[in-house]
Amino acid sequence: MVTVKSFLLPDLGEGLTEAELINWSVKVGDTIELNQVIAEVETVKACVELPSPYAGVVTALRAEPGTTVEVGTALIDISQVAEVDPAPEEPAQQEEHIPVLVGYGVAGVAPSKRANRRQPAPPVADSAAAKPLASPPVRHVAQQEGVDLAEVPATGAHGDVTRADIAAYLDRAPEEVDAGRDETRTPIAGVRKHTAAAMVASAFTAPHVTEFITVDVTPTIELLDSLRTTDHFREVRLTPLAMVAKALLVALRGNPGLNSEWDEDRQEVVTKHYVNLGIAAATPRGLMVPNIKNAHLLGLKDLACALATLTGTAKEGKTGPGDIAEGTITITNIGVFGVDSGTPILNPGEAAILCFGAIRRQPWEFEGEIALRSVTTLSLSFDHRLVDGEQGSRFLADIASMLSDPRNLIALS
C-alpha cells in the first residue's frame, strides 16, 4: 500500500514563524532515507539543514528556493511503500521514528549497509561534464553573486568550492564584470532581511541614548603582553576584547539594570541574574550576534577561549540558532576595522550595547607630561526606559576605570 506523507516546516526554535528556503538537496523522483538532508533553510538566527522524518520517494516539492515559508506549511511530499525484505537473516524494520527537528540539522548521514548492498555504485561522470562540488550555502552565495562555479578554482579538502574560493575569484577578476552594468540588485532576504527588521523595531521602540568616554588603556595592554608570556596563558589567544569583556562583566555586578529587559506585554522590567554576553560578528551571512552563555561565571582565561571559539565559529558560517538565542547584553568591536567610535543600535530585547573602538598610540597627558599612550574610545548605547543617565554613566565609567588601571578589575573581581 502506498501512502503519501507531507513534511511541514517545523518551528526551528525561539518561536520563529517563518524561514527562507535556500536550496533543495533532493528532487522529485529521488529515493531518500530517514534523516537524509532534504533542504537548507535560513532564519533570523542561522542556516539549518532539514533532515527528512520519512524514508520514501519524493513526489512533490512544495516551495521554490528563495521563497519564505511559514511554520506549519507543507514543504515536501514523500510516498512510502511497505517494504518486503527478501533477506531472512536481516531483522525486520523497526517502527518509524520521527526525530526532533527543532534548532538543528543532520550534517550528513551515511547510507545503511543494506542500501550499500542493494544499490549499485553510481557511475563516475566524465570530469569535463561533472558538476562542481559545493555545499548548498556556497551554491546560494554563487547564485547571489552571479558566479559560475565551474569557473572558480576549488581549494576545498574534497575538491569542493568554498566561500573563500568565491571571494578570491571575485576579488581577482574585476575585469570580468560586465562593463554595461551600472547597478546591482540583490533581493533582501535571509539574515539581512531579519536583521533590518529587528534594527528598525529596536530603533523605533527603545529610546536610545549613547555616551562616550576616551580611555588610556596602556596599563591593560602592558598587562596583556605580560600575561601572554606566562604558562597559564601561553596557549590562549588573549586579546584586548577579552579584557573589555571581563571589565563589562565585573561592572554589571554593581549596575544590574544594564542587564535587563523591558517586557511590554506584562509591563515589567526583567532583571537577569546571569549574563549571556553577545559579541557582534561579521560572518559570510551578514552581521550576527552569537553569545557566550553564563559568561559571568568565567575567569579571564576561559572567557578568552570562549571568545576565540565564538568568533571562529561565526567566521566559518557555522553559528547555530542556540548560539544566538537569549543574549542579555552585547559588545561590538569596531576597532578591528580601524574605526574609533560609533552609536550602536541595541540588540532587540537588551538594555545596553558597548562599542569598543580602535586602540591608537597618540599623545596623552601622563603624570604631568605629554607621552605616547595607547588610547581608545568606548561608547555605550542604552534603553532609557530601563537605564537612566546616572546608571549608564556609572557603568561606562566603571569599565573605563578597570581598563585604565587593571588593579581595579582585580579588586572588584
Side-chain angles (χ1 to χ4, degrees), residues 13 73 87 112 122 140 163-164 219-220 281 318 320 324 331 354 396:
T73 302
S112 66
H140 179 60
R163 293 177 188 266
T220 289
K318 297 180 179 179
I324 300 174
I331 298 175
L354 180 71
L396 187 58

Side-chain angles (χ1 to χ4, degrees), residues 321-335:
D323 299 323
I324 300 174
E326 301 180 351
T328 63
I329 191 169
T330 295
I331 298 175
T332 177
N333 182 12
I334 63 174

Side-chain angles (χ1 to χ4, degrees), residues 176-183:
E176 296 179 13
V177 177
D178 186 352
R181 297 179 182 176
D182 57 3
E183 64 179 28

Side-chain angles (χ1 to χ4, degrees), residues 114-406:
R114 178 184 300 180
N116 286 340
R117 187 165 62 248
R118 289 183 178 179
Q119 298 178 3
V124 178
D126 176 45
S127 59
K131 184 178 181 181
L133 295 176
S135 65
V138 172
R139 293 187 183 280
H140 179 60
V141 171
Q143 183 180 17
Q144 285 188 319
E145 298 290 352
V147 172
D148 183 354
L149 287 174
E151 298 179 359
V152 180
T155 64
H158 303 288
D160 53 307
V161 178
T162 66
R163 293 177 188 266
D165 294 336
I166 293 177
Y169 175 82
L170 292 172
D171 287 343
R172 72 187 185 192
E175 69 278 0
E176 296 179 13
V177 177
D178 186 352
R181 297 179 182 176
D182 57 3
E183 64 179 28
T184 300
R185 292 179 176 266
T186 303
I188 301 172
V191 169
R192 183 174 295 276
K193 173 183 177 181
H194 292 290
T195 299
M199 291 300 97
V200 169
S202 175
F204 289 97
T205 301
H208 285 57
V209 174
T210 304
E211 296 184 342
F212 304 82
I213 190 167
T214 302
V215 191
D216 176 3
V217 294
T218 305
T220 289
I221 300 303
E222 293 172 347
L223 176 60
L224 288 173
D225 290 339
S226 177
L227 288 175
R228 293 188 188 106
T229 65
T230 65
D231 291 339
H232 193 66
F233 287 94
R234 198 180 304 277
E235 303 298 326
V236 178
R237 185 171 180 267
L238 190 57
T239 66
L241 177 60
M243 291 294 288
V244 172
K246 186 60 179 176
L248 177 146
L249 293 169
V250 173
L252 280 176
R253 298 174 187 173
N255 303 276
L258 278 293
N259 195 51
S260 61
E261 178 182 3
W262 183 276
D263 189 333
E264 181 67 28
D265 293 338
R266 301 180 65 173
Q267 288 295 290
E268 295 176 343
V269 173
V270 183
T271 302
K272 312 291 178 65
H273 301 294
Y274 57 91
V275 183
N276 292 342
L277 178 60
I279 304 294
T283 77
R285 296 172 48 239
L287 179 67
M288 303 181 75
V289 188
N291 62 76
I292 301 171
K293 300 295 190 291
N294 293 313
H296 63 294
L297 301 178
L298 302 180
L300 180 60
K301 179 180 179 180
D302 290 335
L303 183 60
C305 292
L307 283 169
T309 299
L310 178 147
T311 55
T313 300
K315 288 179 180 178
E316 293 172 1
K318 297 180 179 179
T319 300
D323 299 323
I324 300 174
E326 301 180 351
T328 63
I329 191 169
T330 295
I331 298 175
T332 177
N333 182 12
I334 63 174
V336 296
F337 304 108
V339 177
D340 294 325
S341 185
T343 55
I345 296 177
L346 296 170
N347 206 26
E350 298 179 10
I353 178 171
L354 180 71
C355 182
F356 177 28
I359 298 175
R360 300 189 186 280
R361 294 286 289 174
Q362 62 187 58
W364 193 261
E365 190 277 328
F366 177 66
E367 296 182 350
E369 298 181 355
I370 300 298
L372 278 179
R373 306 288 287 177
S374 296
V375 178
T376 190
T377 298
L378 303 173
S379 58
L380 178 74
S381 292
F382 53 88
D383 184 340
H384 218 330
R385 297 173 301 176
L386 294 162
V387 182
D388 61 31
E390 178 186 2
Q391 292 172 312
S393 300
R394 191 180 302 280
F395 178 68
L396 187 58
D398 286 349
I399 295 173
S401 173
M402 286 181 272
L403 294 176
S404 63
D405 187 350

Side-chain angles (χ1 to χ4, degrees), residues 64-109:
E64 294 292 330
T67 60
T68 298
V69 183
E70 295 185 358
V71 170
T73 302
L75 276 179
I76 187 173
D77 291 343
I78 301 169
S79 68
Q80 296 181 305
V81 181
E83 181 181 350
V84 178
D85 194 343
E89 75 279 5
E90 302 259 351
Q93 184 175 352
Q94 295 182 349
E95 183 179 355
E96 175 189 75
H97 172 67
I98 299 177
V100 177
L101 300 176
V102 176
Y104 69 92
V106 178
V109 179

Side-chain angles (χ1 to χ4, degrees), residues 20-41:
E20 181 188 354
L21 176 62
I22 299 300
N23 219 314
W24 285 110
S25 302
V26 297
K27 60 182 183 298
V28 173
D30 283 357
T31 299
I32 61 175
E33 297 183 351
L34 178 67
N35 278 337
Q36 179 178 334
V37 173
I38 57 174
E40 182 182 38
V41 298

